[in-house]
Amino acid sequence: MRRSLLLLAAFAAAASAQTPEPLRPGIAVERLATVPEGTLRLARAPSTGDLYTLTGGGDVYRLPPPFSTPELVATATNHSLDNAVWGLEVSADGTLYVVGNEVTGVLNVGMVMRGTPNGTGGYTWSRLMRTEPHPVNGQGVFDHFFNAVQLSPDGASLFVNSGSRTEHGELQDVNGQYPGLREGALNSVILRVPANAQDLVLPNDLGALEAGGYLFADGFRNTFDLALDGAGRLYGTENSGDRDDGDELNRIVEDGHYGFPWRMGDHDTPQQFPGYDPEADLLLNHEAWSYQNGFFYNDPTYPPRPAGVTFIDPVRNLGPDADHYRSEADGSIRDGSDDGIPQATFTPHCSPLGLAFDRAGTLPAPYTGDGLMLRWTSGAPGQSVLFEPFGEEGEDLVHLDFHGPDTVAVTRLVRGFAGPMDAVLVGQTLYVIELGGTRGLWALTFSEVEATELPPSPALALRAAPSPFRNRATVTLTVEAPQVVRMELVDALGRRVALLHDGALGVGPHAFTVDGARLPAGVYAVRVQGPEGTTSRRLVRVR
């Protein structure tokens, strides 16, 4: 998130109660509970199936199935964290990992506390990690602190995000106390620490972090959510700032540098270049807090890019949704998929959160093995001066259909949340918590959508095989009399995705090929229309 917990709470107070609305068939929505005020995180214990929530003040709640009643199981009194407590993870054996911050004056100490089950329903707490004190920016905003945490695939390590202390790399010297300081060694990084560490101290020194193997990747503004896909790859979502740069989805690799502060989305930060004039910057919204408070300016001492480092750009979004952008040429709002320009990655200021992957492959088609993600920001009038110009609703759930690890098609699935903050996928159900409205815990259950098959035409015999298929399927149409035939492949909503034939056919069988390489997994139908009627057959494409 871009602001402190105070701004999150302010939004929550302003948001109205809403009921999420599915935009696609086969998604059932059920409200399960009301989560405590200030709830920011949702996690699940694999050993018991219990859900856990975390508030920004450090309260941990457990929700046993059927997830209707939160039970307080830990507070700051237990684990000692009560300031910007923004990270929660649960291991296979039920161990809790809580990430928070301890700010004293102008210095912060990031911490990870570990709660080991004690056999009686409680936890024995110990400090896994703390940092050396390092400067905050002193402005009250843009300190993103330590937050997201994710266990490695083998459970031996924790990935922990520490966000930036600047908006876009501007000078933040705390009224001259730290001359020349912008980002520090413990800012804008993703760290990797042993899950079994005991009171590990991370130094405020980049070289020492690298030498100790603790620096996993660099160049992040604030990766507030981390998740693993089915192949064990680490992904993270990121909000890019007050300028109209794309919000990001990154595939995070060891030793990778993701560009911040020199690059956000797929744009170079213009303040790094000589003679920068914010008044001429078409991507800078003058309603932005950082513009109005002078954070954008001509900056001759902006540090040079690190030598010999190639920045990694975000995952590319093919659309059709969440891919609006502002043109650098004329400042107009455009649609990336309409223009044929894949975006890096999402519409600016949508605040992508709640990232979850179908790691077990249990979701029905067309979602099998794919990703799901929340967008927190509301595009309603008066809710976000930065997001509203892009003409999107926001506060929704989107489907991430990957075409390779670094390209994704994005489709809206559910709208009408009130400040959706986090999500956990269990089998065919996605659990979602809201910070706003009436603070709902929602269950979104996915079921397979049957494609409608029409009765056979007396003059046409249609067969499609194999089904399910991966790469190619063959459609065989047997025609009893010469005629003009139109054959289409349509998706579960009846939208044409391919025209297989349109013209005359003679008597006999005719074979047509459906190429699955360009199709997302899902339920389709081959629909054939002739002069004597229409017929169709179901066809399922899997990964």
Side-chain angles (χ1 to χ4, degrees):
M1 310 299 288
R2 295 200 315 269
R3 299 288 197 269
S4 68
L5 184 59
L6 292 177
L7 288 186
L8 296 180
F11 173 85
S16 60
Q18 303 176 69
T19 299
E21 174 191 0
L23 301 174
R24 297 288 185 271
I27 304 175
V29 178
E30 179 185 5
R31 184 186 177 98
L32 300 180
T34 299
V35 296
E37 186 175 357
T39 297
L40 302 174
R41 293 293 186 183
L42 178 67
R44 177 177 179 266
S47 57
T48 63
D50 295 345
L51 295 178
Y52 286 79
T53 64
L54 174 72
T55 70
D59 290 338
V60 181
Y61 290 83
R62 178 170 53 222
L63 291 92
F67 314 123
S68 58
T69 307
E71 304 170 356
L72 184 65
V73 296
T75 69
T77 302
N78 306 117
H79 54 63
S80 77
L81 297 175
D82 62 2
N83 188 355
V85 191
W86 288 350
L88 176 66
E89 175 69 302
V90 187
S91 72
D93 66 1
T95 298
L96 303 182
Y97 299 95
V98 178
V99 179
N101 301 268
E102 185 178 271
V103 179
T104 304
V106 297
L107 296 174
N108 179 49
V109 173
M111 292 189 188
V112 179
M113 301 299 293
R114 178 177 48 225
T116 305
N118 61 16
T120 62
Y123 299 88
T124 300
W125 291 92
S126 61
R127 186 162 56 193
L128 184 150
M129 182 216 82
R130 62 183 174 91
T131 69
E132 289 184 342
H134 51 284
V136 299
N137 70 26
Q139 296 281 344
V141 292
F142 303 125
D143 273 311
H144 294 104
F145 295 130
F146 279 68
N147 45 65
V149 58
Q150 170 66 52
L151 276 162
S152 62
D154 61 6
S157 301
L158 291 172
F159 300 106
V160 183
N161 176 66
S162 176
S164 70
R165 63 181 297 277
T166 72
E167 208 283 335
H168 55 274
E170 74 283 355
L171 183 66
Q172 293 286 3
D173 61 3
V174 195
N175 297 319
Q177 294 185 57
Y178 299 94
L181 183 60
R182 297 170 190 261
E183 295 297 332
L186 289 166
N187 302 115
S188 67
V189 294
I190 289 176
L191 303 166
R192 180 177 56 191
V193 297
N196 64 355
Q198 186 67 38
D199 208 12
L200 175 68
V201 179
L202 295 187
N204 187 25
D205 180 274
L206 193 60
L209 291 172
E210 292 176 325
Y214 304 123
L215 179 63
F216 185 74
D218 202 350
F220 304 94
R221 185 173 184 271
N222 188 35
T223 300
F224 198 78
D225 209 39
L226 294 165
L228 298 171
D229 74 356
R233 292 175 291 225
L234 181 65
Y235 285 85
T237 60
E238 178 144 330
N239 187 309
S240 281
D242 279 5
R243 192 171 180 268
D244 291 340
D245 304 303
D247 284 9
E248 301 177 7
L249 175 66
N250 290 301
R251 179 169 65 92
I252 302 167
V253 298
E254 187 170 5
D255 298 326
H257 198 299
Y258 291 78
F260 183 86
W262 299 275
R263 193 162 171 83
M264 287 188 274
D266 58 355
H267 297 149
D268 290 330
T269 302
Q271 193 162 316
Q272 68 189 291
F273 301 116
Y276 171 63
D277 179 7
E279 304 308 317
D281 187 348
L282 295 180
L283 270 61
L284 183 55
N285 187 328
H286 287 192
E287 296 296 317
W289 186 95
S290 55
Y291 167 82
Q292 295 181 349
N293 285 270
F295 283 23
F296 289 87
Y297 52 91
N298 182 33
D299 194 352
T301 63
Y302 201 100
R305 299 185 179 206
V309 174
T310 300
F311 296 150
I312 301 173
D313 272 357
V315 171
R316 291 285 173 173
N317 179 4
L318 303 174
D321 294 329
D323 64 338
H324 288 186
Y325 71 100
R326 190 181 293 278
S327 169
E328 292 185 278
D330 60 12
S332 62
I333 302 296
R334 309 286 301 175
D335 185 294
S337 48
D338 286 352
D339 293 345
I341 304 175
Q343 293 301 295
T345 308
F346 305 115
T347 303
H349 318 298
C350 70
S351 296
L353 298 171
L355 181 63
F357 287 95
D358 181 25
R359 299 179 63 187
T362 54
L363 281 177
Y367 312 110
T368 311
D370 291 347
L372 300 168
M373 189 194 76
L374 302 169
R375 296 195 300 167
W376 182 80
T377 310
S378 170
Q383 292 296 308
S384 171
V385 296
L386 299 179
F387 187 56
E388 183 181 341
F390 289 89
E392 293 195 24
E393 291 185 45
E395 293 188 297
D396 51 17
L397 174 74
V398 299
H399 173 211
L400 305 177
D401 179 13
F402 282 83
H403 296 214
D406 300 308
T407 307
V408 66
V410 180
T411 306
R412 297 180 75 218
L413 298 181
V414 181
R415 67 182 178 186
F417 291 104
M421 279 300 302
D422 205 359
V424 168
L425 180 63
V426 183
Q428 296 187 344
T429 300
L430 184 77
Y431 298 96
V432 176
I433 56 169
E434 297 174 307
L435 180 67
T438 56
R439 307 192 308 274
L441 168 63
W442 301 92
L444 280 59
T445 302
F446 292 75
S447 58
E448 186 173 343
V449 178
E450 294 287 340
T452 301
E453 294 191 7
L454 300 173
S457 163
L460 301 171
L462 179 65
R463 189 169 68 90
S467 182
F469 76 103
R470 291 184 183 275
N471 297 320
R472 290 180 181 275
T474 300
V475 177
T476 303
L477 179 67
T478 301
V479 179
E480 295 184 0
Q483 57 189 287
V484 174
V485 171
R486 182 178 180 86
M487 181 187 297
E488 300 174 318
L489 183 69
V490 299
D491 65 13
L493 297 180
R495 301 172 299 191
R496 190 182 83 187
V497 296
L499 179 63
L500 302 179
H501 181 78
D502 190 10
L505 288 178
V507 174
H510 303 271
F512 303 88
T513 297
V514 175
D515 184 0
R518 297 184 179 181
L519 295 175
V523 179
Y524 297 88
V526 179
R527 185 169 61 196
V528 180
Q529 183 174 4
E532 296 188 35
T534 301
T535 188
S536 71
R537 284 295 177 268
R538 184 171 179 264
L539 193 60
V540 178
R541 196 253 170 176
V542 296
R543 289 190 176 278

